[in-house]
C-alpha cells in the first residue's frame, strides 16, 4: 500500500494547526492524495514556512467569533482535522489555565463553528497520555482513562466533548490517540521544530551534532529492563497516512471511533540513544539526571484497532527510518 491511498478528488479539508509538526505532514499527505488542505493556525507554535500545500487563515481558536468567521469563509468544507494544541507537558503543570483555555475552549469553539457551518466530520488528535499509569501493556483503547498530566486531562475533556456532540448533534468523528510522533518527511523540508524542544529524538540529535548542550537523560531508575522509560515511536508520515484512512472510512459510513496510533513496539530511552549513534555514526553525549515530572514508566499501543477499523498499518515506522529522516531534516535545517 502506498501513501497515495485514496482519491480526495480536489476536496478541501480544514486542518487546524496545519503549521505545526504533525499538521504540516497531514497537509502534505492530503495534497498527495488529491485534496487541498486549508490551514487554520495562529502561528504561535506553528510555522508559516511549513504551509506549502494550500491557503491559510491566521486565527486564534480562543477567539470564538474569529473561529466562526474562519469556518464561515470555508462553509462548504465537510471534514476538519484538528491538531492545534498546547503540548508541552511541564508547562501544563505550571500554567493549567492557559492549557485549558487553549486546548479545551479552543476545541469547543471549533465544535460550535462546525455545528453552525454543518461541517459534520472531525478527526481529532488526542494522546496516549489520556490513559495514565497502568501495567496493562500494550494499551487497548478500552483501557481506563485516568490522565496524569494537565495535558492529558485537557485532551480527555475534548474527547468527552466530541462524544457528546456525536450523541446530540450527529457529529461523525475519529479520535486518534497518538503515541510518540517522530521522524520527518523524506524530502527533508518539513520536520520537528518545536521551541523549546523537549522531545527525545531531536534533543539527542542536537547533542550528537554538537549543536547545543549535552542531552539530559531523565531517570534511569524506572521499572523497565534498562531502567529508562519505554515509548512507542510512530513515524509522523504514518500518522498523516492514518488520517487519509480515517477520511475514507468516514466517507464509507464510519461515524464514531477512538483509535490508538502506535506501532505496538516499545523502545527505551537508552535503546533510542544507541540507535541514533548507529544511524548518525556520532556519539550522543548525555548526563543522567533525575526523573522528569509527569513522565510515565512505559507506554506502548495495541495497534490492532487501527488495522481492523481503518485498514491502516504503519509503513514508515522502523526505528532506523524514523531516526534517519529526523537526522536528514535536522542536517538540512542546520546546513550540515
Ligand atoms: N527524554 C529524555 N531527555 C530529553 C527528552 C526526553 O530523557 O531531553 C525522555 C523522557 O523522559 C521520556 C522519553 O525520553 O522518557 C520520551 O520523551 P519525549 O518528550 O520525547 O516524549 P513523551 O513521551 O514525553 O511525549 C509524548 C509526546 C508529547 C506528549 C506526551 C504526553 O511526544 O507531545 O507524549 O505524554 F505531550
Amino acid at each position: 500500500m502506498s501513501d497515495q491511498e485514496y482519491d480526495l478528488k480536489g476536496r478541501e479539508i480544514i486542518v487546524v494547526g496545519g503549521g505545526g509538526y504533525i499538521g504540516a505532514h497531514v497537509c502534505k499527505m492530503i495534497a498527495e492524495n488529491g485534496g487541498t488542505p486549508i490551514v487554520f493556525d495562529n502561528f504561535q507554535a506553528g510555522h508559516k514556512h511549513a504551509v506549502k500545500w494550500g491557503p491559510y487563515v491566521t486565527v486564534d481558536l480562543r477567539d470564538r467569533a474569529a473561529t466562526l468567521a474562519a469556518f464561515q469563509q470555508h462553509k462548504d468544507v465537510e471534514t476538519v482535522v484538528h491538531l492545534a494544541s498546547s503540548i508541552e507537558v511541564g508547562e501544563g503543570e505550571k500554567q493549567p489555565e492557559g492549557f485549558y483555555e487553549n486546548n479545551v475552549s479552543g476545541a469547543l469553539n471549533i465544535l460550535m463553528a462546525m455545528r453552525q457551518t454543518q461541517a459534520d466530520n472531525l478527526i481529532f488528535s488526542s494522546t496516549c497520555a489520556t490513559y495514565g499509569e497502568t501495567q496493562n501493556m500494550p494499551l487497548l483503547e478500552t483501557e481506563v482513562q485516568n490522565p496524569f498530566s494537565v495535558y492529558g486531562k485537557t485532551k480527555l475533556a475534548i474527547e468527552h466533548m466530541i462524544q457528546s456532540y456525536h450523541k446530540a448533534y450527529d457529529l461523525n468523528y475519529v479520535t486518534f490517540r497518538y503515541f510518540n510522533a517522530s521522524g520527518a518527511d523524506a524530502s527533508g523540508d518539513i520536520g520537528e521544530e518545536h521551541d523549546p524542544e523537549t522531545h527525545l529524538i531531536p534533543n539527542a540529535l542536537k547533542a550528537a551534532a554538537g549543536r547545543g548542550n549535552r542531552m539530559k537523560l531523565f531517570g534511569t531508575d524506572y521499572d523497565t529492563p534498562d531502567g529508562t522509560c519505554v515509548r512507542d515511536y510512530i513515524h509522523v508520515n504514518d500518522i498523516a497516512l492514518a488520517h487519509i484512512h480515517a477520511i475514507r472510512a468516514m466517507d464509507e459510513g464510519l461515524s464514531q471511533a477512538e483509535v490508538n496510533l502506535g506501532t505496538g513496539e516499545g523502545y527505551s530511552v537508552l535503546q533510542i540513544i544507541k540507535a541514533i549513534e548507529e544511524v548518525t555514526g556520532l556519539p550522543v553525549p548525555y548526563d543522567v539526571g533525575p526523573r522528569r515530572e509527569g513522565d510515565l514508566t512505559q507506554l506502548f499501543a495495541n495497534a490492532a484497532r487501527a488495522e481492523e477499523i481503518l485498514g491502516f498499518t504503519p509503513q514508515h515506522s522502523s526505528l532506523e527510518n524514523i531516526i534517519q529522516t529526523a537526522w536528514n531534516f535536522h542536517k538540512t535545517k542546520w546546513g550540515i
Side-chain angles (χ1 to χ4, degrees), residues 87 129 151 180 198-200 203 216 218 229 231 292 295:
I87 60 163
Y151 168 72
N180 287 53
T198 60
H199 294 102
L200 173 62
N203 279 350
K216 246 203 197 86
F218 299 127
C229 291
R231 295 288 183 272
R292 183 173 69 177
D295 277 345

Side-chain angles (χ1 to χ4, degrees), residues 245-266:
H245 283 257
I247 294 169
R248 181 184 58 187
M250 284 197 281
D251 286 352
E252 290 169 355
L254 179 69
S255 65
Q256 171 184 37
E258 279 79 14
V259 180
N260 284 339
L261 273 190
T263 65
E265 193 96 31

